Amino acid sequence: MTLPPATAIAPATVTLTRIRLNRNSPDARRDLTHPHSLHKTVMLLAPESLGEHPRQKAGLLFRLEQAIEDTPPTLLIQSQLPPDFSHLPRAYGTTQTRDLTPMFRALATGRSVRYRITANASTRRKVKVLDGDPFFDPEARHKDVPLHGDDALAWWQRKAVHAGLSLTSTDITPVGPFRRPVRKRQNAHSESDVFRHVLTRFDGIATITDPDQLRHALLTGIGRGKPYGAGLLSLAPA
């Protein structure tokens, strides 16, 4: 098979960074329990001069892998700009980087792969509001409803098809909800923690059906909640 030039496959640089968190670090312990703080730490790897929407411009996607036996919690970060570790908190963790270009080059129709993604499986539904409600935000006409079990599986099956994958098997692991500060409508100066995203991890085997769609999904992520650790699709040979 003749491969197209690398520039047609992916940006010039796609890097996977693995940070094994130091559980003795106060900053790392804080990030393990506060997704908004974790998001801010991840953004330290991006250049400071990106302007609006810096995460998208840097192509930053990430996933937090929980501790397993002797392996500490691990942060996986994919970026399309070279990561800058100079602003990470002191003793935050040990870092490793890997060039993902070989993985992008290996994508081909019919190839079997192992996959993992932690995603915000949800659906958006209309919200019924009362006429004349003084606290109603006219822009908040929909809300995201988390999906579980078979509904979450069906959500992932649809997303996988659009991402150029035909699923052979899927294991579902609930990761749990996390809280994000949002402003109360009644008081613009106060904040309240509310459940915003419910994360679910999907693992399994799939066959590549459309390499171009798959590259797009790998680079841009899948679903909502990307700033908070959802949407990073990882592949490995099956």
Side-chain angles (χ1 to χ4, degrees):
M1 179 183 65
T2 302
L3 290 171
T7 53
I9 297 177
T13 303
V14 184
T15 302
L16 180 67
T17 298
R18 186 187 305 271
I19 304 178
R20 298 191 185 278
L21 301 185
N22 175 13
R23 282 177 282 199
N24 293 322
S25 163
D27 297 290
R29 291 199 302 270
R30 176 203 62 210
D31 287 354
L32 287 171
T33 56
H34 293 83
H36 190 62
S37 175
L38 178 60
H39 165 72
K40 288 184 175 180
T41 298
V42 169
M43 291 307 302
L44 294 175
L45 274 64
E48 297 179 351
S49 57
L50 293 180
E52 294 185 356
H53 310 297
R55 188 195 62 78
Q56 292 92 326
K57 291 180 179 177
L60 277 173
L61 298 166
F62 71 95
R63 180 173 70 246
L64 180 63
E65 301 273 340
Q66 298 300 322
I68 302 176
E69 297 180 349
D70 295 332
T71 302
T74 300
L75 190 57
L76 298 177
I77 306 169
Q78 180 179 288
S79 57
Q80 297 175 36
L81 295 177
D84 179 3
F85 302 116
S86 63
H87 298 299
L88 276 181
R90 183 175 178 273
Y92 187 75
T94 58
T95 62
Q96 294 177 314
T97 60
R98 181 164 65 90
D99 180 11
L100 291 182
T101 302
M103 185 269 289
F104 277 90
R105 285 187 174 275
L107 300 180
T109 302
R111 179 160 189 174
S112 183
V113 294
R114 290 186 292 115
Y115 66 83
R116 168 171 291 184
I117 181 172
T118 295
N120 174 26
S122 63
T123 186
R124 182 159 289 188
R125 295 175 182 167
K126 284 188 177 181
V127 178
K128 292 183 179 180
V129 297
L130 298 176
D131 293 337
D133 183 352
F135 300 118
F136 172 61
D137 179 357
E139 295 183 359
R141 296 183 181 275
H142 297 80
K143 69 175 180 179
D144 293 337
V145 178
L147 301 174
H148 306 276
D150 291 341
D151 291 333
L153 175 59
W155 177 92
W156 167 233
Q157 289 172 333
R158 292 192 299 270
K159 293 294 184 180
V161 169
H162 294 151
L165 290 174
S166 175
L167 302 182
T168 302
S169 66
T170 302
D171 292 325
I172 300 179
T173 304
V175 177
F178 67 73
R179 297 176 182 267
R180 179 168 76 89
V182 297
R183 295 192 181 280
K184 290 180 179 178
R185 197 172 299 141
Q186 293 88 339
N187 185 343
H189 300 288
S190 65
E191 291 190 348
S192 174
D193 280 346
V194 301
F195 288 118
R196 178 65 68 179
H197 298 296
V198 175
L199 300 184
T200 304
R201 196 182 77 205
F202 302 94
D203 298 90
I205 305 293
T207 300
I208 299 175
T209 58
D210 190 318
D212 289 334
Q213 289 182 349
L214 183 53
R215 290 176 193 118
H216 179 76
L218 288 165
L219 292 172
T220 60
I222 296 175
R224 300 186 180 98
K226 298 182 187 74
Y228 300 96
L232 172 61
L233 175 63
S234 300
L235 301 180

